[in-house]
Amino acid sequence: MFNRTTVTEFLLLGFSDVRELQILHFMVFLVLYLAALTGNLLIIIAIALDHHLHTPMYFFLMSLSILDLGSISVTIPKSMTNSLMNNRSISYSGCVAQVFFLIFFAVADFALLTIMAYDRYVAICKPLHYETIMNRRACVQMAASAWISVVLYSSLHTGNTFSITFCGGNMVDQFFCEIPQLLKLACSNSYFNEVGLIAFGVCLTVSCFVFIIVTYVQILTTVLRIPSEQGRHKTFSTCLPHLIVISMFLSTVVFAYMKPISSSPSALDLVVAVLYSVLPPVMNPIIYSIRNKEIKASLRKLTGWRLFN
């Protein structure tokens, strides 16, 4: 029998006990991690160095890349190290840190995507007032407010999660410390506060999602009134990547946190965790650079590669 005071470490889910497959897992995650680091760093450097990209939209895009770098660094390096060292343990404090930063980066990501939707709404539906509404001070205030709120929310979530008593052992059925899997280890009736906090978070997420949908309905209505085919195409090229990123991120996170928790580890849980914790940081730079001529032009100047034509 385990309780919170005796748990000094947790055992994470390994991808395989076969040494060759552990090395394969390490190599696959290493490639994904390096791809995410390279893509996001290129976008950050390109936006920072190109004064033509010093606009609210690219300020938020650079912030998103910074968050993506943080989010993928929370889970992937530890999983890679465990596979390489044939070890599945993570310290109690390490698990606390993973939970805090995973919530922080995930919620900050979604808050930033919501702000980016508002930015596109103002740019397309109220272009004459754009510079007044989305000035430098307003952008910094929105970003700072989101970050401060997320720190408080992450602290509350993490404190609630680790204030419960663990009676179900210390085996976490995931390759990182994920809240639904930690709640499986809780004593009965000791985790209702955390469940309530998750429900509150879901309500906030749904509210933000409704806001984004309403915003894009108004954007679409405005875009369809644009007489120029080129104007419509340019507008869609800035909005479509944002919608793809939001849909990919939100669908996997909601599925992971709202589906019933299974009593035993499943391949589906593992796939969903990879989709929402690993895939967005890898794919976001690709999605934003493929359809954005300004980003591609800046990356061409930065790298000299013809790849971004």
Side-chain angles (χ1 to χ4, degrees), residues 271-309:
V271 170
V272 170
V274 170
L275 286 177
Y276 84 78
S277 66
V278 178
L279 200 59
V282 175
M283 294 302 299
N284 286 355
I286 299 172
I287 292 170
Y288 277 110
S289 62
I290 282 178
R291 296 189 60 86
N292 190 302
K293 291 182 179 179
E294 287 82 5
I295 288 287
K296 286 194 287 187
S298 183
L299 288 173
R300 273 202 306 273
K301 286 192 293 183
L302 181 66
T303 63
W305 296 345
R306 303 292 295 175
L307 176 65
F308 299 106
N309 284 331

Side-chain angles (χ1 to χ4, degrees), residues 6 15 32 35 41 54 93 112 135 143 167 171 177 192 207 219 230 233 237 267:
T6 59
F15 281 81
L32 291 174
L41 281 174
H54 292 179
S93 58
L112 198 59
N135 57 61
C167 297
M171 180 77 70
C177 288
F192 287 138
S207 300
I219 289 174
Q230 186 177 1
H233 180 269
S237 70

